[in-house]
Amino acid sequence: MKIFIMPPNSLILYDLVERFGHQPLSVMGTLRERVSGREMESPPLNVTPADVTKGLKYAGIEVPSGIRGRMAVWGPMIDEAEAAIIMHDTPFTFGCVGCHRTNLLLMHLIRKKKIPTIEVNYPEDEEEGKIMVSKIKTFLEGLK
Amino acid sequence: MIMIAPTSELTPDQLARFIHSLGYEISIKETCYGANIEGDKDLIAKAVPKIRGLDPNRLFIKVRAYPIGDERRCRAHHGSRPGFNQLEKEWMDLPFIEAGLCAVESGEECPEKPKRKRLSVEKLIQIAEEENI
Amino acid sequence: MTIKIAQISCGTEYSGIQSEIENAAATVGGKMVYPDVSYEEITRAVDDFGFDPVSPQLKLMIARAKALADGHYDADAVFIASCFRCAEGALVRNEVRRYLQEHARLPVVTYSFTERLKAAQLLTRMEALVTIVAKKELLARERQVGLTAGIDSGSSTTKAMILRDNEIIGKSWTPTGEVIGSAQEVLDEALEEAGVKFNDLEGIGVTGYGRFLIGRKLDANLIQEELTTNSKGAVWLADRQRGEATIIDIGGMDNKAITVRDGIPDNFTMGGICAGASGRFLEMVSKRLRVEITELGALADKGDWSKVNMNSYCSVFGIQDLVTSLAAGHTIEDVAAAACHSVAEQVYEQQLQEIDVRRPIIQVGGTSLISGLVTAVGEMVGSEPIVPENSQYIGAAGGALLSSGFLEGQ
């Protein structure tokens, strides 16, 4: 199944989803298609002002352009997602590469979609690591 | 992108040499944290499980947005981004995930801890009054 | 020499404007650089700074600013930007800008953007940043020497001024029509008043929107954006070359707020998105009120803006409010005062919030001749602005002053 991960650029979540037999939907994968597949109009991410307008599907015109641009990239991933893992309490460097408002909107959209979703906490020690990994494993195996 | 957890005894050099020895026609770049590999999707899909086998709970793998050596995302040219700092932090914490992977492998029960509740107002008042005395 | 401009920003890449920023810098001989910081440094910087925004990229902005202030990273100027309408971003943008101005002697420009970036405006900002660094010695010039001319090709009017040995000997202005024709016209008139010939000129400095076109045509020895040129012209005309000041320049189409230290800008903002914050608004009001623009200021001085209800700064809807209030029995004086107040208030909200206003305030540009607007700006900032004589000629004066900087030593 296609699993949306949140934060969408997490190494840990990407690895675990793939390790336990599913396809992670990640921002890196989406951006990779963007930066290597077609002509580069707007380096570095190739998010063009026209893409930012496409983000209007997910957030209104009064929402800052940076959020709409992010949603233009990540919104379609949520549309595609069949299940999701949300990780909370991530250290600050996590998140949609920068904007917490976008994070909040993404989480809301995932929950609204009512796909199977698990919410876990970022581990701060080995014991919490065990809890998180076992929860994710059980969740992913249950999806098969 | 392949990252070696700080607890692993594997070096990037050993990792890169192992991938070379698999004999697939893929590009391999040794990095300070592990290696980046690039090539035909099917070949990468075949290589990944074998690479994981080298140190299953201490090697972590994800896709990377930019091709190997791409200047647009080169740290030397653009400075670090939150994505880089995030990897720094995730790398530091990989031992916690390793512990988790080992636990699920051995079938260890990992019950969730009950959430901490906030102190009730009544209790707080009681403490404050006791402190006053 | 490539000028290194440190970019401290959030949202530029996902707004699709990062390449525009880099191109603008490259066009004017600058290069965007990105102070490198580690995870640990970000944590420490946010703690030290005492502002802990939730968004990671804003934390990174703080850490990058600290790296610059602490001298861990080398740059010549700073470009601070965040998304328009983001409250968290705006707070950090302003605090980081204040911090850098206090802790690093680097010229700073702040910018809030949408995906519809105005490339020309961005270019002017970048050019000004680069000029401040690259032409530091030229900008330090306080006295004009020899015989030089300055031309300011603005969007509404074109102005020319002739200076000889630090004295104004000729000047002229005209509404901007065809760019080169207008410039030639005012230059000829100013030369005539000065009683000198074009070939006698030892230097020509050109600024304003048409600067490149005119500069090439006249073979000017200085072609420079209006932020630094106007600042020099303003402090020269106001005789405030030393110390600090804030220059408020409300032009025909855009407006600028510039803070200077010894005549050299260290922070500036530029408007230009909305005609409601420009001289054009007052021009339109005059037409609707059927009074000359030259009379509007005196009328406004006699009126009370607070009696008129304006629900919009917009040059369509706002002016409609003014006309409606005339119909409702308000005096033309009150309406003129409300129009001036509206422009001043919008400049205050849009531009003056992005800089730390330093006294004295020097108000310049064509609109500084409208006394009602000067009064309104003064009320807004709580200090009566200085309006130097010839305040509409700042660009031309600055051009003539700076172009003479190439003469000595020849």
Side-chain angles (χ1 to χ4, degrees), chain C residues 247-266:
Chain C
I247 296 159
I248 299 178
D249 178 1
I250 306 174
M253 286 287 265
D254 65 16
N255 52 66
K256 304 165 197 77
I258 309 160
T259 55
V260 294
R261 195 173 272 136
D262 295 337
I264 298 176
D266 57 2

Side-chain angles (χ1 to χ4, degrees), chain C residues 18 28 72 86 88 120 145 160 193 229 261 272 280 285 296 359 374 385:
Chain C
Q18 181 60 32
V28 295
H72 295 156
C86 173
E88 197 187 16
V145 294
E193 188 190 333
T229 314
R261 195 173 272 136
R280 186 56 51 92
V285 170
L296 191 75
R359 291 188 169 78
V374 179

Side-chain angles (χ1 to χ4, degrees), chain C residues 212-389:
Chain C
F212 295 110
L213 210 56
I214 300 165
R216 273 196 299 272
K217 173 85 179 164
L218 298 178
D219 196 21
N221 57 347
L222 179 93
I223 301 171
Q224 196 162 299
E225 39 58 51
E226 53 271 29
L227 282 156
T228 51
T229 314
N230 290 12
S231 303
K232 283 306 288 182
V235 295
W236 183 79
L237 284 169
D239 197 18
R240 293 277 177 169
Q241 308 231 36
R242 293 269 138 180
E244 298 190 326
T246 303
I247 296 159
I248 299 178
D249 178 1
I250 306 174
M253 286 287 265
D254 65 16
N255 52 66
K256 304 165 197 77
I258 309 160
T259 55
V260 294
R261 195 173 272 136
D262 295 337
I264 298 176
D266 57 2
N267 186 208
F268 51 84
T269 66
M270 254 180 109
I273 293 172
C274 174
S278 75
R280 186 56 51 92
F281 181 84
L282 297 175
E283 222 170 69
M284 291 166 77
V285 170
S286 304
K287 282 205 182 104
R288 291 295 296 268
L289 298 182
R290 291 171 185 267
V291 298
E292 289 295 318
I293 181 87
T294 47
E295 298 167 31
L296 191 75
L299 284 172
D301 282 336
K302 288 181 220 148
D304 178 357
W305 64 267
S306 66
K307 288 185 183 162
V308 176
N309 183 26
M310 264 185 92
N311 292 317
S312 167
Y313 295 130
C314 172
S315 54
V316 175
F317 299 112
I319 291 178
Q320 193 52 46
D321 284 346
L322 294 176
V323 174
T324 309
S325 61
L326 266 186
H330 288 290
T331 66
I332 200 164
E333 286 84 0
D334 290 345
V335 169
C340 290
H341 179 82
S342 172
V343 172
E345 192 170 63
Q346 207 192 354
V347 169
Y348 184 71
E349 288 175 6
Q350 304 294 332
Q351 258 69 63
L352 298 183
Q353 299 303 311
E354 294 275 329
I355 58 167
D356 286 324
V357 175
R358 301 174 188 152
R359 291 188 169 78
I361 313 271
I362 305 173
Q363 193 170 338
V364 291
T367 60
S368 61
L369 302 176
I370 300 167
S371 57
L373 181 61
V374 179
T375 312
V377 168
E379 281 171 4
M380 208 66 69
V381 297
S383 164
E384 197 184 333
I386 298 170
V387 181
E389 205 177 328

Side-chain angles (χ1 to χ4, degrees), chain C residues 38-210:
Chain C
S38 69
Y39 173 82
E40 300 289 348
E41 281 165 332
I42 301 174
T43 319
R44 260 202 314 275
V46 170
D47 275 354
D48 286 356
F49 196 76
F51 188 135
D52 190 4
V54 188
S55 293
Q57 182 76 18
L58 298 176
K59 295 182 198 250
L60 187 63
M61 280 174 73
I62 292 171
R64 286 182 167 174
K66 266 196 82 65
L68 283 173
D70 296 345
H72 295 156
Y73 192 87
D74 183 35
D76 304 304
V78 191
F79 179 77
I80 307 175
S82 68
C83 293
F84 178 56
R85 294 201 187 97
C86 173
E88 197 187 16
L91 291 171
V92 172
R93 188 177 72 229
N94 259 316
E95 292 312 317
V96 161
R97 190 258 307 157
R98 285 204 177 104
Y99 177 83
L100 278 172
Q101 283 198 291
E102 274 173 35
H103 295 88
R105 280 282 173 124
L106 296 172
V108 176
V109 61
T110 53
Y111 194 44
S112 81
F113 54 81
T114 73
E115 70 276 25
R116 296 183 198 286
L117 186 90
K118 299 270 189 294
Q121 286 183 16
L122 182 68
L123 191 68
T124 303
R125 287 170 167 87
M126 288 294 181
E127 196 188 342
L129 270 186
V130 169
T131 303
I132 293 164
V133 179
K135 297 187 180 170
K136 212 170 180 177
E137 283 174 28
L138 183 70
L139 288 176
R141 167 153 296 273
E142 294 180 0
R143 227 187 115 74
Q144 186 267 350
V145 294
L147 178 69
T148 59
I151 299 171
D152 177 3
S153 172
S155 56
S156 292
T157 58
T158 304
K159 284 93 39 183
M161 189 175 255
I162 315 288
L163 301 187
R164 178 189 275 147
D165 298 334
N166 215 36
E167 296 290 332
I168 300 167
I169 58 168
K171 61 185 193 239
S172 178
W173 73 273
T174 187
T176 301
E178 190 265 311
V179 170
I180 294 194
S182 306
Q184 195 66 57
E185 182 188 329
V186 289
L187 181 61
D188 288 346
E189 285 170 5
L191 285 166
E192 198 182 333
E193 188 190 333
V196 293
K197 298 255 177 312
F198 180 77
N199 288 338
D200 299 335
L201 292 174
E202 295 170 275
I204 301 175
V206 191
T207 189
Y209 288 99

